[in-house]
């Protein structure tokens, strides 16, 4: 797969900051943001073990020890958000196999770890800028579609974002009564028994690609 210009910082028109590759220094700086998002079911405390694992995966990415890619959003010299992607592992019975059940093409990529500082959320364009940068990179690298899931803890804080940016938020064509949430399905027991996760899918269309 062609790496393209993946290591070049990128300015975003709607986000007054920079989107760039993750560095080792960023991983420690992201800890407070991860603690805002990665929390217990009742949301009263951060899940320390899961945060540690996420940070170690990020460090491994920077060191070139896995195939993941991460981008961070920086504003006024401070890292305020992160998003990444990985290739789903068919040998992983949870993250890999459950997500691959939703693929419609040969080279899917899964977007992961989408976290923005609470001060910079809410229509400021940070999440969108991160997504677009990774979307461009994934397309350049030859992936054929994006898959993403979001756990029940993020129903109020994240699901609407994915509905919108994955192109699946639409209104009833006849009655126009509210928004139809149009996930491609739910990954059963994705995080623990009884806690299913909606899954979104977005194909990359081009004049050279088969429409799937």
């Amino acid at each position: 797969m062609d790496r393209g210009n993946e290591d070049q910082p990128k300015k975003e028109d709607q986000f007054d900051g920079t989107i760039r590759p993750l560095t080792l220094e960023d991983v420690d700086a992201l800890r407070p943001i991860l603690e805002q998002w990665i929390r217990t079911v009742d949301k009263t405390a951060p899940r320390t073990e899961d945060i540690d694992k996420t940070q170690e995966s990020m460090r491994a990415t920077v060191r070139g020890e896995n195939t993941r890619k991460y981008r961070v959003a920086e504003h006024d010299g401070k890292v305020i958000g992160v998003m990444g992607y990985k290739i789903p592992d068919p040998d992983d019975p949870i993250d890999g196999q459950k997500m691959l059940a939703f693929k419609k093409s040969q080279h899917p990529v899964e977007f992961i770890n989408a976290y923005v500082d609470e001060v910079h959320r809410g229509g400021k364009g940070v999440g969108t800028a991160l997504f677009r940068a990774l979307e461009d990179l994934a397309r350049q690298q030859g992936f054929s579609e994006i898959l993403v899931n979001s756990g029940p803890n993020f129903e109020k804080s994240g699901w609407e974002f994915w509905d919108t940016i994955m192109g699946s938020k639409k209104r009833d064509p006849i009655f126009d009564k509210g928004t139809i949430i149009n996930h491609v399905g739910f990954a059963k027991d994705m995080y623990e028994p009884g806690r299913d996760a909606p899954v979104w899918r977005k194909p990359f269309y081009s004049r050279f690609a088969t429409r799937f």
Side-chain angles (χ1 to χ4, degrees), residues 107-123:
H107 302 291
V109 66
E110 181 184 356
F111 277 33
I112 58 172
N113 301 147
Y115 306 123
V116 175
D117 190 333
E118 58 189 359
V119 176
H120 295 274
R121 298 178 206 163

Side-chain angles (χ1 to χ4, degrees), residues 81-150:
V82 65
M83 190 180 296
Y85 68 59
K86 67 179 182 180
I87 302 172
D89 182 358
D91 295 325
D92 185 330
I94 299 179
D95 286 348
Q97 293 174 13
K98 288 187 177 183
M99 291 302 292
L100 287 171
F102 294 94
K103 77 180 182 70
K104 296 293 184 181
S105 63
Q106 293 301 309
H107 302 291
V109 66
E110 181 184 356
F111 277 33
I112 58 172
N113 301 147
Y115 306 123
V116 175
D117 190 333
E118 58 189 359
V119 176
H120 295 274
R121 298 178 206 163
K124 297 182 180 180
V126 182
T128 298
L130 286 164
F131 179 87
R132 297 303 181 203
L134 280 173
E135 182 182 36
D136 288 347
L137 178 58
R139 185 183 287 106
Q140 291 169 14
Q141 292 197 308
F143 291 106
S144 53
E145 63 182 335
I146 298 168
L147 300 174
V148 66
N149 78 79
S150 182

Side-chain angles (χ1 to χ4, degrees), residues 1-11 18-23 61-64 66-72 83 85 130 132-143:
M1 294 181 182
D2 181 14
R3 291 181 177 272
N5 295 320
E6 66 174 53
D7 294 324
Q8 296 301 313
K10 182 176 183 180
K11 290 284 186 178
T18 300
I19 304 298
R20 59 169 176 76
L22 178 76
T23 68
T61 298
V62 176
R63 294 192 296 258
N66 61 38
T67 59
R68 297 185 179 198
K69 299 294 181 185
Y70 282 97
R71 291 294 180 264
V72 296
M83 190 180 296
Y85 68 59
L130 286 164
R132 297 303 181 203
L134 280 173
E135 182 182 36
D136 288 347
L137 178 58
R139 185 183 287 106
Q140 291 169 14
Q141 292 197 308
F143 291 106

Side-chain angles (χ1 to χ4, degrees), residues 10-30:
K10 182 176 183 180
K11 290 284 186 178
E12 294 291 336
D13 292 338
Q14 297 180 352
F15 164 56
D16 184 20
T18 300
I19 304 298
R20 59 169 176 76
L22 178 76
T23 68
L24 285 176
E25 291 76 13
D26 295 331
V27 177
D28 290 333
L30 284 165

